[in-house]
Amino acid sequence: MTRCPEGHFYDPARHTACPWCALPADSGPGAQKTRPMAAADQKTRAMPTEVSSPAPPVPRAPLNPGPPPLPGGARPELAPNPPPLPAGAPPTATVRVGAGAKASLKDGPVVGWLVCLEGPDRGRDYRLHMEKNFIGRAPHMDVVIENDSTVSRDKHAVVIFDPKKKIFWALPGEASGLVYLNGDIVNSPTRMEPDDVIEVGQTRLVLIPFCGDRYSWSADSAAAPSSEAPS
């Protein structure tokens, strides 16, 4: 250590002159002089840069909040999206599903029945409507023979009611299974009479007509009995 003329001690390896004597003159007499910070100390003890805290995130509304909750906290169920309209259909068109336009015929007036005489579904009756009635095992058929595995799934046979002439016809379907009417094979449209029996697979069905000479359906009335007396 070295002592300056003022009586201050300092390290000549760190300071070339007395650091105490280098203090400003306006410190005043009697003011306590503190040891100045060395250059190395100034670098290591520099004040940290002030970092501003990030702003809190702004909450965003959900893209599809859905309907408001019901009383009690329950939320209503969302209705499923309707099926898309077919190409070229007007915006207000009603799209039918399942059997399509055939559903309107099924809802029309009954023209007769097929009643199962023999087969797994013996005793069951099947409602017939105007125009074509397809027979098969599939649920979308008009006459569903669901328990006879020997009946084709789609269009094993067809029973037609002609609303103009009030006549029933039996036709073979598009499947490979054969169709019989009163024991004879049906290869082309064959007229059916009351109590005729049509055979598909192991199932035999008897025709019970409701529209014919005695009964008919008109646009302005329900089933209207004929003026002729039954024979």
Side-chain angles (χ1 to χ4, degrees), residues 53-145:
S53 59
V58 179
R60 300 180 62 181
L63 297 178
N64 186 15
L70 299 174
R75 295 187 65 87
E77 296 182 359
L78 298 178
N81 294 328
L85 295 176
T92 58
T94 300
V95 179
R96 293 183 177 272
V97 296
K102 179 64 71 175
S104 61
L105 294 176
K106 290 183 179 181
D107 297 336
V110 61
V111 298
W113 297 267
L114 291 177
V115 180
C116 183
L117 297 178
E118 294 182 13
D121 293 321
R122 181 174 180 267
R124 182 173 179 180
D125 64 299
Y126 305 92
R127 186 176 185 268
L128 299 177
H129 55 73
M130 295 184 184
E131 301 182 7
K132 294 182 179 181
N133 297 267
F134 293 101
I135 302 175
R137 288 187 294 110
H140 60 274
M141 294 288 98
D142 302 293
V143 177
V144 183
I145 313 296

Side-chain angles (χ1 to χ4, degrees), residues 30-47:
Q32 184 178 1
K33 297 181 179 181
T34 59
R35 180 176 179 271
M37 184 178 297
D41 295 338
Q42 293 178 2
K43 294 181 179 180
T44 58
R45 299 175 62 183
M47 294 293 293

Side-chain angles (χ1 to χ4, degrees), residues 65 93 97 99 125 158 167 196 202 208-209 231:
V97 296
D125 64 299
V158 186
I167 297 174
D196 278 356
Q202 298 178 356
I208 307 297
S231 56

Side-chain angles (χ1 to χ4, degrees), residues 157-160 168-173 178-181 184-192 198:
V158 186
V159 172
I160 295 178
F168 286 90
W169 299 87
L171 284 81
L178 298 178
V179 182
Y180 295 88
L181 182 63
D184 296 327
I185 192 170
V186 176
N187 288 320
S188 60
T190 305
R191 181 169 177 173
M192 298 183 68
I198 185 171

